[in-house]
Amino acid sequence: MTAGNQEEQIELLTSTDDDHGGVIVEMDEPMDSTTFVPILKASLSHWKQQGKRGLWVKVPIHLVNLVEDLVKEGFWYHHAEPKYLMLVHWIAETVNTIPANATHRVGVGALVSNEKGEILVVQEKTGHFQGTGYWKFPTGVVDEGEDISAAVVREVKEETGIDSEFVEVLAFRQSHKTFFEKSDLLFVCLLRPLTFDIKIQEVEIADAKWMPFDEYAAQAWIEKYELMKYVNEIYLAKIDGRYSGLTPVSTTSQASDQISYLYLNAGGLKRCNSL
Amino acid sequence: MTAGNQEEQIELLTSTDDDHGGVIVEMDEPMDSTTFVPILKASLSHWKQQGKRGLWVKVPIHLVNLVEDLVKEGFWYHHAEPKYLMLVHWIAETVNTIPANATHRVGVGALVSNEKGEILVVQEKTGHFQGTGYWKFPTGVVDEGEDISAAVVREVKEETGIDSEFVEVLAFRQSHKTFFEKSDLLFVCLLRPLTFDIKIQEVEIADAKWMPFDEYAAQAWIEKYELMKYVNEIYLAKIDGRYSGLTPVSTTSQASDQISYLYLNAGGLKRCNSL
């Protein structure tokens, strides 16, 4: 309250420390520039004195008016999702060690194979194959925070109504610039059906059925896609017992209590254990 | 120039059509809100009349002043990189089919194994293991647009000066919420060294050496990480010839002239071809 304390009277942004000598601010209260800019400048000066390095400010889209002020103070974009923008600023003298943004979307393809030598195929209402009459195996995109093995089971259920269990990742493909500058990873998975009655999802799927694998593989369009030809070869080797993909094992570490799946060739290790 | 032509006189944003019934605008000229908003409104009305669906506007960071105007007209964030923000708006009556943003960062770990039964290990100057004295195999992040097989060779070269060639992906791990809401995919790769003299990268690496695998595997810290224990088991199975990972084959399709790598268990297919 005294003149000597004046500096301490300036309000600072509420922040939490991260594990790398930086701070994270989550904006939530509406504010105009005349209020925000002095608080931001005081906070920057405070963090600099504290020896902070990376500064993160998450701005929900309804506070878009604050973005320009942050950029004028030296922040730049790190990543964005529909409802927020994450900005970052490196205020240390040392080399910027701000981690890169996510670079890949992750997709899954499902070979759901029954005991009659048939696979589950669909015709899509949207996308590249829309209206072509091509029968293809179900594919989809892994949601944020979703395991690959769960995503592929979910996609099959959503598109066709079939319950299935995950067997293994047969192969994966990395492709670039599939969406602006971003890359894609597509995991082709083998699944075992648990139910057999198809119920199609009307929005995305025009038709679905169990199709003899030979008939599926003989479609002319597949000749144009080396990926599809390899997948066919892999599938035939698999049902002959000559091919091993990667299966998930859950792993934890003392450093974090999160469970993560490691996908490995379990056959190779099993033979190891039996020696 | 006449009153009857007045509507046509309104300037529209320069756009290109995408392949999904939408348009893409790349802003480049500085503009203030009073100029921009009428042009934006006229463009929106024009695209709506044309039956366009998804609208993309890429705003470089120096034009940050336009972001608020776009949000007020119904745009939301799709993704951001340091120098730009991509906004999107769905103006069709149909279900929004805007594709999701990238969800995963992709990392690589390198088991570089020489013929003496040693692997290449480093001590890092930053990150979790900084100052611990733990010897670990080199790891790094895949750059935007970079192949996994190229990224791991580059990381080994950068950190240790060792030239190497990619052999295979031994296993991969998917983990969640590693960085805000984003997920990680870590590909553990086997590499064959082509050179042997180590030259460490001073910024990130405190030390590097060739270490007998048994000595590496016996480090106490590894016991805390199930991932590391599995990788050790995989490595031992691999050098015994009992384990197959996934190797890249290049694939193309008539639908695109891009080359993409498909990672598959080539051993399983080779046995197939020799039948």
Side-chain angles (χ1 to χ4, degrees):
Chain A
M1 293 297 193
T2 67
N5 277 342
Q6 203 167 4
E7 264 180 37
E8 292 166 32
Q9 304 302 314
I10 300 169
E11 197 186 343
L12 298 177
L13 291 166
T14 307
S15 65
T16 53
D17 291 344
D18 69 17
D19 296 337
H20 308 278
V23 297
I24 303 171
V25 175
E26 300 209 12
M27 300 300 303
D28 53 4
E29 293 299 322
M31 219 182 276
D32 62 20
S33 280
T34 42
T35 314
F36 180 58
V37 172
I39 298 175
L40 176 61
K41 284 180 189 281
S43 303
L44 281 167
S45 152
H46 174 72
W47 292 323
K48 202 147 195 167
Q49 274 173 25
Q50 286 191 315
K52 295 296 179 190
R53 310 195 305 166
L55 312 178
W56 300 88
V57 180
K58 183 175 176 177
V59 183
I61 195 163
H62 70 274
L63 303 184
V64 59
N65 65 302
L66 306 179
V67 172
E68 188 175 355
D69 294 329
L70 285 158
V71 170
K72 282 182 178 162
E73 292 301 325
F75 282 78
W76 65 88
Y77 306 142
H78 188 272
H79 65 275
E81 293 298 327
K83 294 192 184 310
Y84 73 87
L85 177 61
M86 182 70 82
L87 295 108
V88 70
H89 189 3
W90 184 258
I91 56 171
E93 301 296 320
T94 54
V95 176
N96 165 354
T97 58
I98 300 284
N101 188 7
T103 49
H104 286 65
R105 289 192 300 169
V106 177
V108 283
L111 282 172
V112 190
S113 168
N114 70 20
E115 289 180 358
K116 292 190 252 178
E118 295 168 331
I119 65 163
L120 183 61
V121 291
V122 298
Q123 290 186 348
E124 293 177 346
K125 282 190 177 168
T126 57
H128 275 305
F129 294 122
Q130 172 187 0
T132 56
Y134 299 166
W135 292 101
K136 59 181 282 295
F137 52 79
T139 51
V141 175
V142 175
D143 288 338
E144 196 162 76
E146 189 178 33
D147 287 317
I148 290 163
S149 54
V152 68
V153 168
R154 174 185 55 73
E155 282 288 347
V156 167
K157 177 71 175 175
E158 282 178 9
E159 293 192 359
T160 68
I162 298 291
D163 292 309
S164 62
E165 75 184 351
F166 182 83
V167 180
E168 64 184 26
V169 169
L170 295 171
F172 68 88
R173 183 193 60 184
Q174 186 189 25
S175 26
H176 300 302
K177 301 211 172 189
T178 50
F179 186 66
F180 299 105
E181 296 303 310
K182 299 295 178 177
S183 301
D184 263 26
L185 276 162
L186 173 70
F187 291 86
V188 180
C189 305
L190 183 68
L191 284 80
R192 188 178 297 120
L194 299 172
T195 63
F196 299 90
D197 291 338
I198 291 169
K199 188 173 181 307
I200 65 171
Q201 198 257 49
E202 305 284 349
V203 177
E204 290 173 28
I205 303 299
D207 205 356
K209 64 176 180 178
W210 292 100
M211 191 178 204
F213 177 78
D214 294 346
E215 197 183 313
Y216 160 80
Q219 293 176 97
W221 72 270
I222 286 179
E223 275 302 303
K224 297 181 195 162
Y225 292 86
E226 278 187 300
L227 169 70
M228 294 300 173
K229 290 195 283 181
Y230 273 114
V231 169
N232 290 352
E233 208 180 323
I234 289 168
Y235 176 80
L236 291 173
K238 182 71 203 176
I239 56 172
D240 272 5
R242 290 179 283 108
Y243 189 92
S244 306
L246 306 183
T247 51
V249 294
S250 72
T251 63
T252 53
S253 75
Q254 282 185 25
S256 106
D257 52 2
Q258 297 256 0
I259 289 178
S260 301
Y261 285 102
L262 177 68
Y263 293 72
L264 48 74
N265 185 341
L269 293 190
K270 269 184 207 141
R271 284 194 291 280
C272 165
N273 291 338
S274 66
L275 285 178
Chain B
M1 292 295 190
T2 67
N5 278 341
Q6 204 167 5
E7 265 181 36
E8 292 167 31
Q9 304 301 314
I10 298 170
E11 196 185 343
L12 298 177
L13 291 166
T14 306
S15 65
T16 53
D17 290 344
D18 70 17
D19 297 337
H20 309 278
V23 297
I24 304 171
V25 174
E26 300 210 12
M27 299 300 303
D28 52 5
E29 293 298 324
M31 219 181 275
D32 62 21
S33 281
T34 43
T35 313
F36 179 59
V37 172
I39 297 175
L40 176 61
K41 283 179 188 281
S43 303
L44 280 168
S45 152
H46 174 72
W47 293 321
K48 201 146 196 168
Q49 275 172 26
Q50 285 191 316
K52 295 297 181 189
R53 310 195 305 164
L55 312 179
W56 300 88
V57 180
K58 183 175 175 177
V59 183
I61 195 163
H62 70 274
L63 303 184
V64 59
N65 64 303
L66 306 180
V67 172
E68 189 176 353
D69 295 328
L70 285 157
V71 171
K72 282 182 179 161
E73 292 301 325
F75 282 78
W76 66 88
Y77 307 141
H78 189 273
H79 65 274
E81 293 297 328
K83 294 193 186 307
Y84 73 88
L85 177 61
M86 182 70 82
L87 295 108
V88 70
H89 190 2
W90 184 259
I91 55 170
E93 300 296 320
T94 54
V95 175
N96 164 354
T97 58
I98 299 285
N101 188 8
T103 49
H104 286 65
R105 290 192 299 169
V106 178
V108 283
L111 282 173
V112 190
S113 168
N114 71 19
E115 290 180 358
K116 291 190 253 177
E118 295 169 329
I119 66 163
L120 184 61
V121 291
V122 299
Q123 290 186 346
E124 293 177 346
K125 281 190 177 169
T126 58
H128 275 305
F129 294 123
Q130 171 188 0
T132 56
Y134 298 165
W135 292 101
K136 59 182 282 296
F137 52 79
T139 52
V141 175
V142 175
D143 288 338
E144 197 162 75
E146 188 178 34
D147 287 317
I148 290 163
S149 55
V152 68
V153 167
R154 174 185 55 73
E155 282 288 346
V156 167
K157 176 72 176 177
E158 282 178 10
E159 294 192 0
T160 67
I162 297 293
D163 292 311
S164 62
E165 76 185 351
F166 182 84
V167 180
E168 64 183 26
V169 169
L170 294 172
F172 67 87
R173 184 191 60 183
Q174 185 189 25
S175 26
H176 301 300
K177 302 211 170 188
T178 50
F179 187 65
F180 299 106
E181 296 304 310
K182 300 294 179 178
S183 302
D184 264 26
L185 276 162
L186 173 70
F187 291 87
V188 180
C189 305
L190 183 68
L191 284 82
R192 188 178 297 120
L194 299 172
T195 62
F196 300 90
D197 291 337
I198 290 169
K199 188 174 180 309
I200 65 171
Q201 198 258 49
E202 304 285 348
V203 177
E204 291 173 27
I205 302 299
D207 205 355
K209 64 175 180 179
W210 293 100
M211 191 177 203
F213 177 78
D214 294 346
E215 198 183 313
Y216 160 80
Q219 292 177 98
W221 72 269
I222 286 180
E223 275 303 303
K224 297 180 195 164
Y225 292 87
E226 278 188 302
L227 169 70
M228 294 299 172
K229 290 195 282 180
Y230 273 113
V231 169
N232 290 352
E233 210 181 322
I234 289 168
Y235 176 80
L236 290 173
K238 181 71 202 175
I239 56 172
D240 272 4
R242 290 178 282 108
Y243 190 92
S244 305
L246 306 183
T247 51
V249 295
S250 71
T251 63
T252 53
S253 75
Q254 283 185 24
S256 107
D257 52 2
Q258 296 256 359
I259 289 178
S260 301
Y261 285 102
L262 178 68
Y263 293 72
L264 48 75
N265 185 341
L269 293 190
K270 268 183 207 143
R271 284 194 292 278
C272 165
N273 292 339
S274 66
L275 286 177

